[in-house]
Amino acid sequence: MTNGPIRRIERERVEDRRDSVLPTAWIEDAAPPRAAERRSWLLQERAEAPPAPVALREGAVAPPAPERDGPVLVMLGADAGPALAELIAHAEAGARVYALVPPGWGTADKRLLACPKVLVRRVPEVPVSGVHRTGAAQLQSGPWTLRLDAAQTEAFRMVFLRLFWHEATEEAWTGGRQLAWRAAAERPFDVPEVPPSAPVRLVPPSEAGLDTERASLHLATLPLPDAAPRRLWVRAGGEHHERLARLVRDGAEVVWDELGLPDLAARDDGGTLLLPGSGDRLRIVLTAAQAGEAARLLAGPARWTFRVGARLGDHARDGVRLWLPGETAARAVERQQQIAVADVRAASIRVMEETAPATWPPPQPLALTVRYRWTVVPPLVPAGAAEDALHARWRAVDQEWASRLDRLWEALKSAEKHRGSLGRTFSRLVSALLGFERTQREALAEVARLRKERPSALGPAAAPPMFARLAELEAQAAKLQNDLEDAERKAREDEEREKQQRAWQARIEAAKTDLGARREALAAAEARLAGVRAELTTHDEAPEPEDKKARKDRAARRKKLSDEQTRAEKDVAALGQEIASLGKRIEEPFVFQPPASAAARKPGNRFVPAATTARAAPAVPHEALPEVGELRSRGQQRYLVIRDWETLAAGEAAAARFPADLVSEDA
Amino acid sequence: MRAVLQSEISVVRVAVFAEMAWLERRPELGLLCRAARDDGNRITPATVQAALPGLSDAGARNVIAWCALLGLCDRHGGLTALGEDVAETDEAPVPEQGIYDLWLAQHPLFGARALAAERLASTRDGRFEMIKQLPFAPDLGTTFRSVVEPRERFVVRALPSANGQRHCMARVAATTCRLRWTLDFGAGREQWQLDGAIDATQGGHRPFRHEPETDGLDLWRLAETWGHGPLAAFGRWQAAEQRLAVAFDGLTDAEQDAFRKTLKLQRVDVPGKGSYDGVTLEGVPIGPATAPDAARWALANFVRDLSRRPAYRSRSEVRRTFADVVEDTPLEPSRPTLPAHDTLIDATWHRDRPELFWSLAAPVDLAPRAVAPEELGPLTIGAPAVAATSPAPTGAIRVPYRGDWSMRRLVDRLLDGHRPAKVLLCDRYVRGDGNLGALKLLVQAVRAVEATAAFEVWTGDEETDAAQIRALTGTAPRLYRDVFGRSAPHDRYFLVRPIGQSAFGWQMSNSPLDARPGAPGAGPDAPLRWRDLLAYRVADDVGPAMRQWLNGGAR
């Protein structure tokens, strides 16, 4: 067990593989030096100086002079360098030289172009590079030169003739600045087909095989034989290991070294050499002497050996390379292989220290030791797992708890302010407010205590009593608020009543004062009215003058008096109404009018929140929250997520309670 | 050899009093002459009475006399040439007398003849001093055909005159006339013709071309005459060979090839027929004057033949080519020699033609079988076979040049003592009378050994007369393209399926059909004239089609 956060754990394991057995493998090791051997037929370029040419029929040594008279036949196939050099030497000596070249062959060699008598023909494929001159011929294949005996020389000549006359497509001759190719002219005769018994002949791919019995076999292009030869040289690689293993089990020694030889089967008494080609291939039946040299060459040491069931520890030396089946290259033994195993998910957090992969990935076959490394991953909350609804429900309970306490606290605080302002406004309430202050102080203390509690922390059993107590406090705060308001309202009404009485009294006094003046003004107005009326009567009773101007003046006078009468009547009427009104005001009794604002006030408009009345207790979950971690769920599955090793035990208990899987979060 | 002799002919135009006769259509005389021609070429009273029934004897005699007068017969009734002409043409001369305008020409080849004649009206404009001596008289009694109106024929029967003095009134003549005498020595034909323009009576000139006539000259006698005359400057005339022996130097390639030469002769004489200037003698047969000339000539022709048909040639074919170039030519009697192979390729004539050098060198250097020294040595054309100094290679048959082998001898060697059930001849060319004649001999020779032997022919010649071959062999030939596709053989092959024995065959450097009999009607045992033939025994080294045939497949 460990401490701190729950994280992934890195683990490793080391395995020793020295005793491992490789089913099949090519093993390259430093080969012992090849014993020096003087060969006469199979010569290697640079490595062996060619002996003086031998007159094959008589065995006598002839001078190595270029041909001057007899024609020289040259094939310029692959590895044509030596043959081309010999061609030029013979041609410069004056010999008539006939050359076969592959399609597209050309030359800018001024020495060759300057030679007077070289006839070159292109054929679809030149099977080999070689030179035939009077009584002797030799072929080149890679670094090797094979001297032919008399029968082979003649057969090679026939192969040359058959290609030259029957297969040529274009021809050109030297003597100019360049070779001017033209279509090959028709042959002058038929060249007989080279009989199957000929020691040198072209064979179709279907006949391109070698006799492997008791032979040392060197394969360059041919497929593996079905029967086991004595010794098989085949290019080391990652293929055909099963067939090679079968040949080894059948008694063949399978080796390889880069000798540069073509396909070759050699026994002490004969052999066959098969040169490469895309179509027909040149097959050379070796003489006993040639085959003997080839057999001794193939019996020599080789860098590569094909092994079946090799113990790995036996080939762990420096410099040794192995080529395993299916691989594209050889490689050395690897001292230790590091293998990173895939992360392993622990079945539970508690067993993470002991968790290992169920299976071990195989190491590479050439690993001498192998070190596995892997990471143990704790059980993790799965993607998509969301917070469990229990948390939401408890959070709602806690939020309601907190909000109600907050509102209660604000109400009590508001009541305190209200109480202060009342005290400052209404001195008559001072004694009553003292009682309110004590009640309020006790309620605030209780709220402060409750704010430290959370229903979710106390669980489903303790939460309902807490809400019941909260409801009591809310009721108490509401009552306090109401009492304060009642006291305030009563004080305000008293104050308003006194104010209204003072105003009523002032109005009566003013009316009484104004009534005397108005009565005097009425008397004056009535007098003026009577005078006007009288004057008007007089006017009306006076006779109509004759004079037009006097009549006109009299009418004007009449008009003026009429207007004055009307104006005086209005004044009298108005003053009479004022006097009546003033009398009514003086006699009016005092009536208290409660202040309209206080009557119209509604609870919602108060600046202080209304005290809460008793409320129903919230829906408290029947499950308590986990003691540690976070409960999540996906579908019907619940997960308890913990993050520290210290909470493991509590987490296990909590997880068992729900039930839920105990998991961690990936860091 | 051909020559055109030309000569300008002077034409005289005269007005003369003459007795003329124009040939007019007279069917009754034609009938009479034909009856006479069928009755011994004689007009007799019986003949006349047979032709003209109801005529009395006196009347018949009068008719004969009239015919004689006309010149159809003589006084005894014998039909004249004119009478025979009347029998052919139904045209008989109708005599008349008067003044005629005659255009007269004279030459040794055709004598004096009137080219044309016109009747003249008599006038009083003439003056006595205008009468002149007649330059020459036309051949009297000869039927002339007018060169102006070829349908018009006339006869100048007589030129009546006093005291035998023939006079005329000369007229201005602006007629041109040329004689062209063509001598074709090779074809043995000659003909002469007059052409030119005649001044017409109405004015102007009318071109004319006289219908050709022959003279019957012995041309080769004339050539021999010339050989000793103008031709002697060019060479020696060989009358027996009818050719001119000349030196090789100076001959053009074409003359060497054709054995003909064109010579320009300043003047030639034709005995009795005149002399002619500036004669071009075309295609004069020529031959070598000496043996060295023949040798150089033969080699030159041989090289040109190689150059014209550049191809790789085996030594055997080279020898055949040389023989083809020389044999049956004027060179053959001189027996020119083909140089030895080494001499040939070391020569310098092919220095600028490397393909010719390689065409000779490569087939010998790259022969599948060594070429025999005799074959590589010189070849003298026409010389009898020289005994081979080296034996034929093992399993080979060599028929030497001019070996005089009979076809039977060759077949015996080819069959090698076996009785053939079937033989097959593969030969590219089985056509032409010579080859088919040799094929006939070959078939006869095979069937002389085994009468029931089947004989097949495969040939590459698309123009082969299959019916003719089938008539000779009893089997229709097959074509190479059907048998070998595009891998037709070059050489000839003679394959044998013996009765009860393994099949075998021969690859031959030349065709047995190349042999030619010395005389017509020769049989299979008669000696033949051979060129080189070398046959190698083959078995399984032949191509697939022939191998299949040997193994009993194919047809």
Side-chain angles (χ1 to χ4, degrees), chain A residues 33-304:
Chain A
R34 190 180 292 274
E37 182 185 0
R38 192 71 172 174
R39 286 187 287 268
S40 299
W41 299 95
L42 194 57
L43 311 174
Q44 191 171 18
E45 188 183 13
R46 291 182 295 277
E48 302 175 40
V54 176
L56 299 175
R57 287 177 183 156
E58 294 79 18
V61 176
E67 288 281 340
R68 286 193 177 84
D69 299 326
V72 177
L73 283 50
V74 180
M75 285 190 188
L76 298 179
D79 310 310
L84 182 59
E86 194 169 346
L87 181 158
I88 294 174
H90 288 303
E92 287 182 335
R96 293 189 298 278
V97 180
Y98 301 90
L100 290 178
V101 298
W105 185 91
T107 183
D109 190 323
K110 292 182 179 176
R111 285 180 61 197
L112 175 57
L113 293 174
C115 293
K117 295 176 182 174
V118 179
L119 175 59
V120 188
R121 284 193 142 198
R122 284 173 172 165
V123 293
E125 183 176 22
V126 181
V128 68
S129 288
V131 179
H132 174 286
R133 53 202 180 94
T134 308
Q138 60 187 30
L139 309 181
Q140 272 88 35
S141 178
W144 296 94
T145 298
L146 176 67
R147 293 177 54 238
L148 304 183
D149 75 347
Q152 292 168 335
T153 297
E154 180 56 25
F156 174 63
R157 180 174 183 273
M158 292 302 291
V159 171
F160 183 96
L161 298 185
R162 182 81 187 173
L163 289 174
F164 190 92
W165 290 121
H166 285 252
E167 305 296 336
T169 56
E170 293 173 285
E171 63 184 5
W173 42 77
T174 58
R177 291 184 177 178
Q178 59 184 8
L179 295 178
W181 294 98
R182 66 174 197 175
E186 189 185 358
R187 63 180 182 272
F189 37 65
D190 296 334
V191 177
E193 293 191 351
V194 181
S197 59
V200 178
R201 73 184 188 102
L202 285 168
V203 295
S206 59
E207 297 179 23
L210 296 174
D211 181 12
T212 61
E213 186 177 358
R214 297 185 297 107
S216 291
L217 189 62
H218 180 276
L219 297 182
T221 62
L222 287 177
L224 291 174
D226 293 329
R230 186 167 58 192
R231 199 172 200 217
L232 173 62
W233 290 67
V234 63
R235 184 173 294 280
E239 300 174 341
H240 311 305
H241 278 229
E242 287 189 10
R243 296 186 60 189
L244 290 173
R246 184 165 54 79
L247 293 173
V248 169
R249 284 192 288 272
D250 290 347
E253 182 186 3
V254 180
V255 297
W256 174 251
D257 208 343
E258 194 61 69
L259 299 180
L261 285 169
D263 294 309
L264 167 66
R267 296 183 303 274
D268 290 337
D269 58 347
T272 306
L273 191 143
L274 197 60
L275 290 164
S278 60
D280 291 350
R281 301 178 60 179
L282 194 68
R283 177 190 179 108
I284 303 164
V285 178
L286 300 177
T287 64
Q290 292 167 336
E293 289 185 1
R296 286 190 292 279
L297 179 66
L298 297 182
R303 287 171 50 227
W304 290 88

Side-chain angles (χ1 to χ4, degrees), chain B residues 66-86:
Chain B
W66 178 243
C67 287
L69 181 65
L70 293 180
L72 305 185
C73 62
D74 56 21
R75 288 186 300 148
H76 305 293
L79 205 60
T80 63
L82 182 58
E84 292 184 359
D85 183 65
V86 173

